[in-house]
Amino acid sequence: MKEKVVLAYSGGLDTTALIPWLKETFDYEVICCCVNCGQGNELDGLDERAKLSGASKLYIEDIVDDFCDNYVMPCVQAGAVYEHKYLLGTSMARPAIAKKLVEIARKENAVAICHGATGKGNDQIRFELGIKALAPDIKIIAPWRMTDVWTMQSREDEIAFCQAHGINLPFDASHSYSRDRNLWHISHEGLELEDPSQAPNYDDMLVLSVTPEKAPDKETEITMTFEAGVPKTLNGKAMKVSEIITELNRLGGENGIGIIDIVENRVVGMKSRGVYETPGGTILMAAHEQLEELCLDRDTMEAKKKLGSQFAQVVYEGKWFTPLCDAIKAFVKSTQEYVTGEVKLKLYKGNIIKAGTTSPYSLYNESLASFTTGDMYDHHDADGFITLFGLPLKVRAMKLLEVEKNKNNK
């Protein structure tokens, strides 16, 4: 029997061409695995296409709820944002996909896992670090880095290769944006985005959203409830996290929410420019942060902010299955115990506007915050506090004055 390889299969031209290439180059039996993280209609027709291209089997694994509950929500709760803008849509999905690829490889007794990520991007790192952490004994094949045996350099080359192997597919050689989509977001790279001096062609690009200029001249009101940092209802209706994100994508997309244009620093050392649409995710993170403002004390918020930034770096670099990632997730989870309550928001032309927050665990005390003097706060207590709080500054200033005086007396 031939040895088996599990191919991370999207159904696109690259991974379709990989099927006959793997068979021809390594004499493997090719098992395709498409991991559904919420790609929508991109999954249509995959089974026929994979079999037509020479795969012996295709798995379509639905992990949408696992993705939302166990990868998205830890990042939301951590407030993990890479370089102030990127909400980690692709970064969060890759370890979830890698885990499923390993599961299928074990099930099929495969000796290798193949992915179609290029040698310039971040995804090769995310896939391979995940596979190495979960299955260090399984071989990894990355054709785009194997330039001695992978000789195709363009879409035209891949189409010709497929046709030479009797595979006629509905792809053409015309170039388009390079996209990655899941339930959380869709990313766009290529074309005019490769020149940072050029504005994005949003009319041709956007999939989930409209621009703020084209959004309605009317506010959309949203009410969400959370329990222990997890969203439970949207506009009064109980839903799973995946369902809430789906509905927020619709509402956010209609109102031009969550479109960013960023030049980011890739792990491999180069800068790349992309446009991300994350309508539902942007709303969810804003709502969660709005509730945390009421429920978390100052020191915890400060520590969480620092670790949230570090967590974003860890996730972006593909280090999900590491002790550090587990430790940060454990800390974040402990901070969410009392992040429970209701958040109201208004969406308007790309803006998310606060409209009120309540929580049974709110640390906001009206009698303390009010300008009216209450029983819990004596203004005179501030004298001693400021004296002690400012003591290091005062001591330093006194010493500098003493040194300056001694200089002048010489």
Side-chain angles (χ1 to χ4, degrees), residues 176-316:
S176 61
Y177 293 104
S178 174
R179 292 185 166 108
D180 178 76
R181 182 176 182 175
N182 56 48
L183 193 67
W184 185 249
H185 87 155
I186 185 166
S187 64
H188 311 268
E189 294 180 337
L191 298 185
E192 78 279 356
L193 298 181
E194 294 185 345
D195 181 355
S197 71
Q198 299 297 309
N201 186 356
Y202 288 121
D203 289 338
D204 288 341
M205 179 191 307
L206 297 179
V207 174
L208 301 176
S209 317
V210 298
T211 59
E213 296 90 338
K214 294 183 178 180
D217 294 323
K218 181 182 179 182
E219 296 173 339
T220 298
E221 296 182 353
I222 287 178
T223 300
M224 296 179 64
T225 63
F226 289 79
E227 293 179 13
V230 178
K232 294 296 183 180
T233 70
L234 175 59
N235 294 333
K237 182 179 179 181
M239 300 182 186
K240 297 186 297 183
V241 174
S242 60
E243 293 170 337
I244 288 174
I245 293 173
T246 299
E247 180 62 9
L248 289 178
N249 276 335
R250 183 183 70 81
L251 296 170
E254 291 172 353
N255 286 277
I257 305 293
I259 303 168
I260 66 162
D261 177 358
I262 182 175
V263 175
E264 68 193 68
N265 291 292
R266 286 183 179 174
V267 182
V268 293
M270 70 184 71
K271 290 184 180 290
S272 66
R273 193 233 191 145
V275 168
Y276 296 97
E277 297 177 69
T278 320
T282 302
I283 299 167
L284 180 55
M285 293 194 78
H288 180 266
E289 181 180 353
Q290 185 172 322
L291 185 56
E292 279 193 329
E293 289 178 356
L294 281 188
C295 302
L296 296 188
D297 64 275
R298 179 186 179 189
D299 287 344
T300 300
M301 285 191 71
E302 189 63 26
K304 186 171 173 293
K305 180 180 178 181
K306 295 174 183 176
L307 282 174
S309 178
Q310 185 177 13
F311 190 56
Q313 189 90 15
V314 167
V315 176
Y316 188 83

Side-chain angles (χ1 to χ4, degrees), residues 7 10 41 74 81 92 98 121 138 233 238 252 278 288 297 300 306 323 358:
L7 170 64
S10 68
N41 58 13
V81 181
M92 295 185 296
I138 292 181
T233 70
T278 320
H288 180 266
D297 64 275
T300 300
K306 295 174 183 176
T358 57

Side-chain angles (χ1 to χ4, degrees), residues 3-25:
E3 291 183 327
K4 297 178 182 179
V5 60
V6 170
L7 170 64
Y9 186 65
S10 68
L13 179 58
D14 289 345
T15 56
T16 298
L18 278 173
I19 297 173
W21 182 85
L22 285 167
K23 295 174 68 175
E24 186 176 276
T25 306

